Amino acid sequence: MTKPFLIPERRRWLIVAVIFLAIVFNYFDRQIVSILKPMLKEEFQLKDDGYALIVNIFTVCYALMYPVTGWLVDRFGARLTMFWGVIGWSVACIGGGLSRTIGQFTFFRGMLGAAEPTNFPAQLRVITIWFPGKLRATANSLCIAGSSIGAIIAPPLVAWLALRYNWHTVFIVAGVVGLIIALLWITIYKDPPAKILAESTEIDAPTEAPGFKWGQLWKTQSLWGVLLIRFVTDPVWYFCLFWLPGYLQEQSGLSLKQMGLYGWIPFLVADLGAIATSAWSDRMVRKGKKPLKARKMMLSMVAILSPLCALTPYLPSAFSTLLIFSFVAIACLSWLFTISVVVAEAFPSKNVASVLGIAGGFGAGGAVLFNYVVGQLMGTLGAEKIFIAMAFLHPIGVLLLWTMIKPEKPEIRFANN
């Protein structure tokens, strides 16, 4: 008798669970630096611009490798690409923990940035070929929920390990856990059988629909729409990850211990909110809305929350800042969750990893620019101007979403080529 977890309809949820774990520690690893910002600044004698440089080394490598990993997933599949990616970022995390100079530490942060993008194109490819449209946004949100869960567990766990042992231990523990996850992934993942593939791609055939060639992708309007959306909206989430923990300690007066106690709150709220908004868009699909239109409607509604960040400099306490950023983070994470689903519904399944890879690179590129601006101007122009700028980014994303994103079909667009 077939073991229950080997039945395809059940295996796909087990695969989701492993991806979830991988993304948890993907985000945990990158969050360590922001939580330990004051400690690392003292250890390596850094100012805000020096800290911004470390963040940007990670982010530049992340941006450059994102398109490459998308191509790797479409070329070699999700199983091997994700496996080696998890191995790579785990080794980088251990290397960061063993570092004794700023040069060594920065090198391993760059290595971490180069390895971490493998997770998300692989994840989207898996969701696209294993799940039909009526389940896709929910399955996708459960996978990517690991991002905010990683951010939730990071403050208390990082603070405890750093205070109980030292900052080196935090990185080493995270890397060892990553190696265990890599072994789990390579053991469990398999490509879907023909029946599941036909259901998920809505094609009555054991193979996928034809996709765009690499050069053809760049001629599609929707690709440029997705790139611009990620470029303008991703920086708000990157601020939550890399700058908010330090802001709460340096500007709002929280100690490292208090960050451990309370710093996870916005990420938990964001996680629950983004899963709910994803389920809401799937519910609209089940009620008859076209999938792409349902995603657009939901994203437009949650974008209303993002401008609340403009209130941050005028709030009376760290806890009111946590409250406001809980709502802002719902908008950020809902967009990160569902823009991937938009890609899956606008492009053939053979292209989704490449499109997400290119888009993720552009999003990280926007974050690099934003990190530089924050590092240079936080102490001079003041935080209020940075928060006001962030308030406009998701509304711009809404405009791009409705004007540039549509279904792209190579057999129609390039039929005469």
Side-chain angles (χ1 to χ4, degrees), residues 260-343:
L261 292 173
Y262 307 113
W264 52 269
I265 292 174
F267 301 104
L268 175 61
V269 175
D271 209 18
L272 297 175
I275 292 173
T277 57
S278 297
W280 173 33
S281 71
D282 273 349
R283 187 167 181 266
M284 285 191 277
V285 174
R286 288 195 293 272
K287 286 191 169 185
K289 281 270 192 275
K290 290 186 177 180
L292 191 55
K293 185 175 182 180
R295 316 310 178 195
K296 289 181 178 182
M297 290 173 63
M298 181 275 285
L299 291 173
S300 300
M301 292 297 293
V302 299
I304 296 170
L305 298 172
S306 188
L308 291 173
C309 66
L311 300 174
T312 305
Y314 312 105
L315 297 174
S317 68
F319 298 102
S320 55
T321 300
L322 286 168
L323 176 63
I324 284 294
F325 264 91
S326 295
F327 289 109
V328 173
I330 291 174
C332 292
L333 213 56
S334 294
W335 275 71
L336 280 175
F337 281 10
T338 302
I339 205 66
S340 299
V341 182
V342 168
V343 168

Side-chain angles (χ1 to χ4, degrees), residues 149-371:
I149 295 298
I152 288 166
I153 68 172
L157 186 53
V158 169
W160 181 78
L161 286 171
L163 293 172
R164 178 68 177 82
Y165 301 100
N166 52 57
W167 68 264
H168 302 279
T169 302
V170 183
F171 289 94
I172 294 170
V173 169
V176 170
V177 172
L179 294 175
I180 295 170
I181 292 171
L183 179 61
L184 191 61
W185 169 257
I186 202 70
T187 302
I188 289 175
Y189 184 76
K190 293 183 182 297
D191 286 332
K195 177 184 175 182
I196 295 292
L197 183 61
E199 179 190 19
S200 60
T201 58
E202 299 181 350
I203 296 173
D204 190 17
T207 58
E208 298 173 73
F212 292 98
K213 294 180 180 178
W214 180 262
Q216 293 173 336
L217 274 178
W218 292 93
K219 299 177 183 179
T220 63
Q221 175 181 299
S222 295
L223 175 65
W224 289 101
V226 172
L227 301 190
L228 291 172
I229 288 170
R230 291 291 301 264
F231 186 82
V232 299
T233 60
D234 276 24
V236 185
W237 180 241
Y238 278 85
F239 181 90
C240 294
L241 293 176
F242 293 136
W243 291 95
L244 182 61
Y247 179 86
L248 289 167
Q249 293 176 75
E250 296 173 341
Q251 303 294 326
S252 299
L254 290 186
S255 65
L256 179 58
K257 182 178 179 180
Q258 288 173 319
M259 268 301 301
L261 292 173
Y262 307 113
W264 52 269
I265 292 174
F267 301 104
L268 175 61
V269 175
D271 209 18
L272 297 175
I275 292 173
T277 57
S278 297
W280 173 33
S281 71
D282 273 349
R283 187 167 181 266
M284 285 191 277
V285 174
R286 288 195 293 272
K287 286 191 169 185
K289 281 270 192 275
K290 290 186 177 180
L292 191 55
K293 185 175 182 180
R295 316 310 178 195
K296 289 181 178 182
M297 290 173 63
M298 181 275 285
L299 291 173
S300 300
M301 292 297 293
V302 299
I304 296 170
L305 298 172
S306 188
L308 291 173
C309 66
L311 300 174
T312 305
Y314 312 105
L315 297 174
S317 68
F319 298 102
S320 55
T321 300
L322 286 168
L323 176 63
I324 284 294
F325 264 91
S326 295
F327 289 109
V328 173
I330 291 174
C332 292
L333 213 56
S334 294
W335 275 71
L336 280 175
F337 281 10
T338 302
I339 205 66
S340 299
V341 182
V342 168
V343 168
E345 286 161 352
F347 290 89
S349 60
K350 286 188 175 180
N351 296 124
V352 294
S354 291
V355 173
L356 185 66
I358 299 166
F362 268 69
V368 168
L369 179 62
F370 193 74
N371 286 335

Side-chain angles (χ1 to χ4, degrees), residues 42-181:
E42 181 179 354
E43 173 79 15
F44 295 119
Q45 299 181 339
L46 300 173
K47 296 182 180 179
D48 274 339
D49 57 350
Y51 172 77
L53 177 62
I54 291 176
V55 170
N56 269 349
I57 291 294
F58 167 89
T59 314
V60 167
C61 293
Y62 191 79
L64 292 175
M65 283 302 296
Y66 221 136
V68 176
T69 57
W71 178 84
L72 288 171
V73 170
D74 282 336
R75 176 67 178 83
F76 298 106
R79 185 173 184 263
L80 288 177
T81 307
M82 184 166 158
F83 172 73
W84 288 112
V86 179
I87 292 289
W89 87 57
S90 300
V91 170
C93 211
I94 293 171
L98 297 175
S99 296
R100 291 298 182 269
T101 68
I102 186 62
Q104 293 170 353
F105 186 77
T106 302
F107 169 81
F108 284 112
R109 292 307 288 181
M111 181 178 172
L112 184 77
E116 282 203 341
T118 53
N119 222 34
F120 297 99
Q123 171 265 327
L124 182 59
R125 166 89 178 163
V126 170
I127 293 303
T128 303
I129 62 176
W130 270 97
F131 290 88
K134 63 185 178 181
L135 294 173
R136 189 171 291 148
T138 300
N140 184 73
S141 69
L142 290 173
C143 285
I144 308 182
S147 60
S148 52
I149 295 298
I152 288 166
I153 68 172
L157 186 53
V158 169
W160 181 78
L161 286 171
L163 293 172
R164 178 68 177 82
Y165 301 100
N166 52 57
W167 68 264
H168 302 279
T169 302
V170 183
F171 289 94
I172 294 170
V173 169
V176 170
V177 172
L179 294 175
I180 295 170
I181 292 171

Side-chain angles (χ1 to χ4, degrees), residues 396-416:
I396 292 171
V398 171
L399 180 63
L400 294 168
L401 181 67
W402 285 98
T403 57
M404 297 190 70
I405 307 298
K406 61 185 180 65
E408 303 283 0
K409 302 293 183 185
E411 65 271 22
I412 296 174
R413 188 176 178 87
F414 296 101
N416 298 320

